[in-house]
Amino acid sequence: MPELPEVSALAAFLVEHAAGLAVTGVDAVSFPALKTYDPPLTALTGATVRGASRHGKFLSVDFDDAHLVTHFSRGGWLQWREDLPDTPARRGKGPLALRVHLEGGRGWDVTEAGTQKRLAVYLVRDPQEVPGVAKLGPDALDPDLDVRALAGILEGRRKQIKGLLTEQGTIAGIGNAYSDEILHTAKLSPFKLASALTSEEIERLHASMRSVLTDAVERSVGQRAATLKEEKKTGLRVHRRAGEPCPVCGDTIHEVSFAASALQYCPTCQTGGAPLADRRMSKFGVRT
Ligand SMILES: [Zn+2]
């Protein structure tokens, strides 16, 4: 799924390619994806795209009187189209959830892969009307989120740091992939309790959060929407790389599986060489 760097890149891409263009039609192909009914989607027809912005992992396409806000969730993605068919998209079994037609035959598709349908699209007058946006904590790249502010957030939180980093109401923008990367760079165990981090570890965590996300934003912005997914994969050092050597120390990257997700880490860099317990006892490198 797109996290902070990819959503930043998608917003930048839309500012460059869609701003100033008028919407000629919107096809809602998957009705469950659409979470609002007022204003109706038809209200967008004739409206001009003014810009695009990011709120945590939410993408907002901004019009004069409305904002089309998308939460991509796990399987969602945006595809820019230079040559859309004039005919409205039909409902079907494919991944297409929403199609926005712009003048000149351009536009974009919002798609969702997989069977877990959790993509969410909102058309609102103010992005803060979206419950998930209203509840966001400080953005991971907010300059005000300095080491002291981060220490304040972590203080007393008896929750594993991996889970806390991905909690959008605590810090906004980080998901499963970049939390693995940040913890690897910070040399911290994903299972360590937030409240147990020393001030030196919090400094390391803060520096890693900044460097990992800033590097990823720099790599992503300027990429076409089509190449963004590949660029994300290339830049990740441990996420989804179980069984491969750690680029820092050469140890084998391990994995812990959960019901619907998995995390990856390097034992030598992050857990003093000891593998973390994996309840499913799956072998590293094998993702079932
Ligand atoms: Zn390592």
Side-chain angles (χ1 to χ4, degrees), residues 184 187 238 245-253 265-270:
H184 176 254
K187 298 193 186 302
V238 286
C246 167
V248 173
C249 73
D251 190 3
T252 303
I253 294 165
Y265 68 101
C266 167
T268 297
C269 289
Q270 295 175 257

Side-chain angles (χ1 to χ4, degrees), residues 189-268:
S189 166
F191 286 176
K192 186 145 191 173
L193 292 183
S195 55
L197 294 181
T198 65
S199 45
E200 193 262 332
E201 287 172 331
I202 294 172
E203 270 180 45
R204 240 159 52 209
L205 178 65
H206 185 267
S208 307
M209 184 174 79
R210 281 290 149 83
S211 66
V212 165
L213 294 175
T214 308
D215 289 354
V217 168
E218 280 170 10
R219 274 200 315 275
S220 308
V221 172
Q223 294 278 330
R224 289 180 301 120
T227 55
L228 205 50
K229 216 186 254 185
E230 216 36 59
E231 181 59 37
K232 177 179 176 181
K233 272 188 212 152
T234 315
L236 299 173
R237 304 203 297 177
V238 286
H239 185 71
R240 295 226 171 150
R241 294 198 185 279
E244 294 180 31
C246 167
V248 173
C249 73
D251 190 3
T252 303
I253 294 165
H254 280 49
E255 173 169 282
V256 181
S257 305
F258 306 98
S261 67
L263 68 80
Q264 289 83 29
Y265 68 101
C266 167
T268 297

